[in-house]
Amino acid sequence: MSGTGDRVRIGVIGCGGTASSFHLPVLEHLPEAEVVAVADMDTERLREVGDRFRVRHRHARWEDLLGNPEVDAVAVFVPTASHGEIARAAIDAGRHLLVEKPLALTLREIDELEQRAAGSPATVMVGMNLRWHRAVRSLRDLIRAGAVGAPEAVRTIIASGFLHQRNVPAWRRRRDLGGGVLFEVAVHHFDLLRFLLDSEVEEVFAAARPGEGDDETAVITTRMSNGVLAGSLFSERTVQRHEIEIFGRSGCLSASLYRFDCLQHHQLTDFPGSVRTRVKDMVNTLKELPGVMARMRRGGDFLESFRAEWRHFLDAVLRGTPVECTLEEGKKAVRIALAAVASASGNRSVSVSAVTDTGSGGYPDD
């Protein structure tokens, strides 16, 4: 199925927060998309989401959605442990597929997906929305243009108070089900390290702190194939932060993804506390102000990243343009996450290329 005329009819599997807060609000305003079906085993949530977004077909079983002849493409937003099974079935059913990160729990599952996809005309894409964030795109362009010279080091943070919320899904606390920051959260930045630096992650050292669940906070050091070192903090037990800094030989690029003036560019001569540097940063903030209201009316930069991601996918389905975030890209991010889990479990550095599945739980051999 390639869509109906100039529109793709979409079935959404999983009606939790990811779908209802980000994907569905974006899809209802994209002229090339029509959500015709939703599926969720929670019947009350299925009814609420179906009513809110005025979706005609509502299925308690994802298998029934795949059997719906009106569906051209399937979006998978269920817990990671079910990604592989549903994604394989969607490809076998001839549906185009967007599956949310992390792609799967095991490399074996991803290998099976790649084999299925290789023999199918379906468009298959991994949902890594941060690749389409305005600040990330600017960072990549500036790095490639040599704005800070050759990168030397990277610092990244994703922090939130997610685990202080009520009704946190049980799987989000369990490493073996794909929960915890090492797998569910850090995979975003494992992908971005490769995306921004055009280089592979070769080695990982991770230390994780459990609490009521596994891996609630983690600090990770990675070594890239081009020699760049990266240090990352991931936590779901503290305040909101989302930051990326690229330290180059002639300057530094800083991106704070939760701020409207999200990008700063400092040269070697810019001292952080000087009046000159602070005025420069204030001028940058003032330049961003005219676009703030327009972006807020569209839902802000994060919602815009999902909108851009969907436009990319729809363009691939309707016009055959190449998919940027392929199964192979998703697999590389999962492999790094598995290396981080092995490192935290064994208190040792782990080579990413050496990671293999054990066949139970999807984690690498110690």
Side-chain angles (χ1 to χ4, degrees):
M1 294 184 179
S2 59
T4 303
D6 58 354
R7 177 172 290 192
V8 180
R9 300 171 301 180
I10 297 167
V12 170
I13 298 177
C15 296
T18 297
S20 62
S21 299
F22 301 110
H23 292 280
L24 286 167
V26 160
L27 285 167
E28 70 174 343
H29 296 295
L30 289 177
E32 294 182 319
E34 180 186 6
V35 178
V36 298
V38 288
D40 199 291
M41 61 191 303
D42 185 326
T43 55
E44 180 61 23
R45 184 164 62 191
L46 181 66
R47 182 192 63 78
E48 290 176 359
V49 169
D51 288 349
R52 176 183 169 190
F53 294 100
R54 302 176 298 281
V55 183
R56 294 195 303 276
H57 301 290
R58 305 166 190 188
H59 304 283
R61 299 172 67 250
W62 59 263
E63 295 92 340
D64 295 335
L65 184 145
L66 290 183
N68 187 329
E70 292 190 31
V71 174
D72 302 316
V74 172
V76 178
F77 306 131
V78 299
T80 308
S82 298
H83 282 188
E85 178 187 9
I86 297 174
R88 286 194 303 272
I91 294 172
D92 289 346
R95 303 301 194 270
H96 302 291
L97 173 67
L98 187 147
V99 55
E100 187 60 274
K101 64 82 204 163
L103 179 51
L105 281 182
T106 70
L107 299 176
R108 183 180 62 255
E109 284 184 295
I110 299 174
D111 288 339
E112 292 175 3
L113 277 178
E114 289 182 315
Q115 292 170 10
R116 295 291 223 292
S120 169
T123 295
V124 181
M125 178 170 149
V126 182
M128 292 282 195
N129 71 289
L130 290 184
R131 286 187 173 215
W132 283 270
H133 192 285
R134 178 171 65 97
V136 170
R137 289 285 167 166
S138 295
L139 279 178
R140 194 184 197 209
D141 290 344
L142 288 166
I143 293 168
R144 288 181 165 186
V148 292
E152 282 286 312
V154 179
R155 179 186 71 88
T156 82
I157 297 173
I158 302 180
S160 74
F162 176 79
L163 292 176
H164 293 297
Q165 298 178 15
R166 294 182 178 179
N167 303 319
V168 174
W171 73 269
R172 283 296 306 271
R173 299 180 185 274
R174 289 181 53 181
R175 178 191 283 184
D176 62 327
L177 297 180
V181 296
L182 286 173
F183 207 85
E184 169 65 16
V185 178
V187 72
H188 270 304
H189 280 192
F190 296 150
D191 179 65
L192 289 189
L193 287 174
R194 299 182 54 255
F195 181 71
L196 290 171
L197 299 173
D198 292 314
S199 183
E200 299 298 330
V201 175
E202 286 193 341
E203 188 178 11
V204 174
F205 183 84
R209 179 178 181 175
E212 295 176 14
D214 300 328
D215 307 329
E216 294 184 352
T217 297
V219 175
I220 303 173
T221 302
T222 56
R223 185 188 300 275
M224 310 294 294
S225 59
N226 61 2
V228 174
L229 300 176
S232 300
L233 165 66
F234 303 103
S235 180
E236 292 188 308
R237 276 291 185 194
T238 183
V239 296
Q240 300 280 346
R241 293 288 188 276
H242 198 153
E243 301 170 0
I244 304 170
E245 282 191 292
I246 310 293
F247 296 87
R249 294 183 182 180
S250 61
C252 175
L253 292 165
S254 302
S256 182
L257 275 61
Y258 292 159
R259 291 177 50 156
F260 72 87
D261 55 341
C262 53
L263 193 65
Q264 293 182 340
H265 181 190
H266 292 143
Q267 305 294 336
L268 291 177
T269 54
D270 292 338
F271 185 73
S274 72
V275 173
R276 175 181 173 274
T277 301
R278 295 178 69 180
V279 169
K280 177 181 175 181
D281 293 341
M282 289 174 62
V283 169
N284 177 66
T285 297
L286 291 172
K287 287 180 178 178
E288 290 289 330
L289 281 174
V292 171
M293 294 308 297
R295 287 196 294 272
M296 287 180 63
R297 285 194 295 270
R298 295 193 300 268
D301 285 328
F302 262 85
L303 205 62
E304 184 60 32
S305 72
F306 287 95
R307 187 175 292 112
E309 176 184 68
W310 271 104
R311 285 179 178 141
H312 179 82
F313 177 74
L314 294 169
D315 196 53
V317 171
L318 291 169
R319 285 170 279 280
T321 56
V323 165
E324 183 175 290
C325 199
T326 62
L327 290 175
E328 184 60 25
E329 295 287 289
K331 180 179 180 179
K332 288 180 178 180
V334 167
R335 188 184 291 274
I336 301 165
L338 292 173
V341 169
S343 175
S345 299
N347 192 31
R348 59 184 173 85
S349 174
V350 172
S351 170
V352 174
S353 64
V355 170
T356 60
D357 291 331
T358 62
S360 60
Y363 294 100
D365 298 313
D366 290 335

